[in-house]
Amino acid sequence: MAIFAKRLAQLGTENAFRLGADITRCVDRGMDVVRLHLGEPDFDSAPHINEAAIEAIRAGQTHYCDPAGLPAFRDVIAEYVSRTRGLAVHRDRVVVTPGGKPSIGYALQAYVDPGDEVIYPSPGFPIYESWVTYVGAQPVPLPVLEDDGFAVTAENLARVITDRTKLIILNSPANPTGRVLTKTELSALADVIRTRTGPDVRVYSDEIYEHILFDGGVHHSIASEPGMEARTIIASGHSKGFAMTGWRLGYSVLPSVEEAAAFKQLNVNVVSCVPPFVQLAGREALTNPESATGVANMVSAFEARRDWLVAALNDIPGLRCLSPQGAFYVFPNVESACASLGILDTWDRLPSARRRAVSPSGLLQHFLLQRHGVATMDRNSFGSMGAGGQHYLRLSLATSLELLREGVERIKRGVQDPDGCQQFLTGALTQ
Ligand code: PLP
């Protein structure tokens, strides 16, 4: 008898967390590592938010509370989402979760049976693919291509919808590409969904980066398109926009009260509730006008770093990088660097089991970390299905300009070090 249930083998992970152990090993060997892999703002939560939590703890807001979320917080979320999306949301459709991540799993568990098809962006946040396979659904990666400027296009979506499609996951602003879908693009996607799927098919719209937009951009939700509110789960939270990753605070707006009750029941089964003092801090973030200044300062720092980083990466022979419109990542194409370092040839010669375990950009990621001390994330960290033949790295803007400069210098040295790379590959691949 095996220790683990079979389904556990279908559960994926987030490489950002796994990479932490690789970095620790490098640091233990005496290397210093520039961390460009991180998916969290290098800013702290604002003092007025911190104070609200401390006050709430002092006031005894330290007990179990409503599993759907404090009514006072859900009222504020309902008002905020209604105002920003042009909708009329009541708190009965809002469920507060510990971070934006749990609602991904809740959606897969609440809506999807084994064998149902789930469409999700590829590359995309890895937890989508992880949950799709974990619940025994059929994964349907939706190509997000550099040739389309990393947009999810209506044409590509139409191509993958079938009568077995049950859930469609969208994410804008997007991780890892930083692409922000325009109102026109969302409207074309909504058109395809309305005409090609029935009313029971759901869209999971992951809008967690909604506050992080460059060049004066405005966030749009597919839920605002005609007929889409009744089909869309709007998922967002405080981790990214309010720099509150460690607080674990997110929320979903469900299409109906009945569906909100299902998410609430999942909360009851998994976490009981989100700590009330955390929710009261979250309410402060959404209601205190000081938040806008903090968010704007952080976004303008990210934007200045983006401008510098995109130009610097495009100056490195072998790299090509589009400029993101939001979130805090860049996603340069590293195919020609992989070719000139000999990685593509080496990878081609690997036995097929080995090729399945590591991608060429994964080899580049390991080489850059272990030989040049710079941590990035490879294409396959963002869903391995549909990743074949694609060679990218994700770098995070959530680090100081000084460290970005040092990181880029190390990447440059790495892509100009074919001998070092061959030595590394020989060592790494013969282990
Ligand atoms: N959705 C996307 C697209 C993300 O990139 C992340 C975090 O990286 C999450 C959800 C999860 O956010 P949280 O930390 O609030 O659970």
Side-chain angles (χ1 to χ4, degrees):
M1 196 192 276
I3 295 177
F4 292 120
K6 286 190 205 69
R7 87 174 76 80
L8 195 65
Q10 303 306 318
L11 190 65
T13 187
E14 210 183 327
N15 261 354
F17 288 103
R18 195 151 60 187
L19 205 58
D22 291 345
I23 294 172
T24 306
R25 274 193 291 277
C26 290
V27 171
D28 288 347
R29 289 203 319 260
M31 278 176 87
D32 89 296
V33 175
V34 177
R35 292 163 169 81
L36 301 186
H37 68 294
L38 294 172
E40 65 170 337
D42 57 327
F43 288 76
D44 293 328
S45 46
H48 63 278
I49 297 174
N50 299 346
E51 284 308 320
I54 292 163
E55 246 173 61
I57 290 173
R58 290 212 172 99
Q61 293 286 343
T62 52
H63 299 269
Y64 290 136
C65 63
D66 186 335
L70 296 175
F73 184 37
R74 283 187 290 130
D75 273 339
V76 163
I77 294 167
E79 188 281 319
Y80 165 76
V81 171
S82 301
R83 176 164 42 86
T84 49
R85 274 77 167 175
L87 306 174
V89 174
H90 185 269
R91 70 160 182 248
D92 288 353
R93 283 170 48 206
V94 177
V95 178
V96 177
T97 48
K101 197 183 255 181
S103 52
I104 299 168
Y106 289 3
L108 267 298
Q109 291 177 99
Y111 295 112
V112 177
D113 279 319
D116 287 345
E117 292 182 1
V118 179
I119 296 172
Y120 60 95
S122 174
F125 186 47
I127 298 308
Y128 306 145
E129 190 171 279
S130 173
W131 269 101
V132 172
T133 51
Y134 188 61
V135 302
Q138 184 61 39
V140 182
L142 170 58
V144 174
L145 303 174
E146 189 183 355
D147 281 351
D148 298 322
F150 292 129
V152 169
T153 68
E155 294 72 27
N156 287 338
L157 177 62
R159 242 176 248 135
V160 292
I161 289 179
T162 74
D163 55 7
R164 290 188 305 281
T165 301
K166 191 68 210 302
L167 184 69
I168 299 169
I169 301 176
L170 298 175
N171 171 219
S172 174
N175 178 8
T177 62
R179 181 58 149 83
V180 176
L181 295 174
T182 64
K183 178 134 184 72
T184 311
E185 288 165 339
L186 287 166
S187 155
L189 292 169
D191 230 18
V192 169
I193 292 165
R194 274 191 311 262
T195 51
R196 294 282 311 281
T197 69
D200 291 343
V201 171
R202 289 284 169 268
V203 176
Y204 183 89
S205 180
D206 186 337
E207 304 178 16
I208 192 124
Y209 293 97
E210 62 177 286
H211 300 281
I212 305 175
L213 296 159
F214 306 140
D215 312 314
V218 176
H219 176 68
H220 296 288
S221 171
I222 195 160
S224 310
E225 295 303 312
M228 292 306 293
E229 183 180 0
R231 299 172 183 236
T232 305
I233 299 114
I234 303 170
S236 191
H238 287 43
S239 297
K240 314 291 178 173
F242 298 110
M244 292 174 72
T245 49
W247 292 74
R248 310 312 301 135
L249 186 59
Y251 57 84
S252 298
V253 176
L254 283 300
S256 66
V257 175
E258 187 191 0
E259 289 162 79
F263 270 42
K264 172 179 172 176
Q265 194 181 347
L266 284 158
N267 254 356
V268 170
N269 277 271
V270 183
V271 291
S272 296
C273 63
V274 174
F277 56 89
V278 169
Q279 296 188 53
L280 290 168
R283 183 179 67 162
E284 183 73 9
L286 283 179
T287 51
N288 189 326
E290 279 178 47
S291 297
T293 319
V295 175
N297 286 344
M298 180 174 78
V299 171
S300 74
F302 290 156
E303 187 171 324
R305 295 170 191 173
R306 173 206 62 173
D307 291 343
W308 181 84
L309 183 60
V310 169
L313 290 173
N314 280 316
D315 272 348
I316 300 178
L319 265 55
R320 182 176 72 219
C321 187
L322 293 181
S323 186
Q325 299 102 43
F328 42 75
Y329 310 109
V330 299
F331 200 57
N333 184 317
V334 294
E335 180 166 0
S336 62
C338 287
S340 62
L341 287 169
I343 290 176
L344 293 185
D345 286 342
T346 305
W347 187 84
D348 274 340
R349 290 195 300 271
L350 290 174
S352 60
R354 211 70 207 257
R355 284 206 303 265
R356 275 197 299 278
V358 69
S359 68
S361 60
L363 292 173
L364 178 62
Q365 174 208 293
H366 288 300
F367 168 61
L368 290 176
L369 172 61
Q370 293 179 37
R371 290 296 166 93
H372 290 275
V374 54
T376 58
M377 305 226 330
D378 75 326
R379 162 65 181 87
N380 284 40
S381 301
F382 302 96
S384 57
M385 293 181 201
Q390 298 185 0
H391 311 286
Y392 294 91
L393 291 179
R394 190 195 78 174
L395 278 57
S396 169
L397 298 167
T399 193
S400 69
L401 207 43
E402 192 191 348
L403 281 173
L404 281 177
R405 283 184 212 282
E406 178 58 29
V408 165
E409 212 32 61
R410 293 179 187 198
I411 291 172
K412 196 164 162 183
R413 282 203 293 271
V415 301
Q416 291 166 351
D417 180 17
D419 295 342
C421 189
Q422 277 313 306
Q423 247 180 28
F424 169 77
L425 291 174
T426 309
L429 296 170
T430 48
Q431 272 167 24

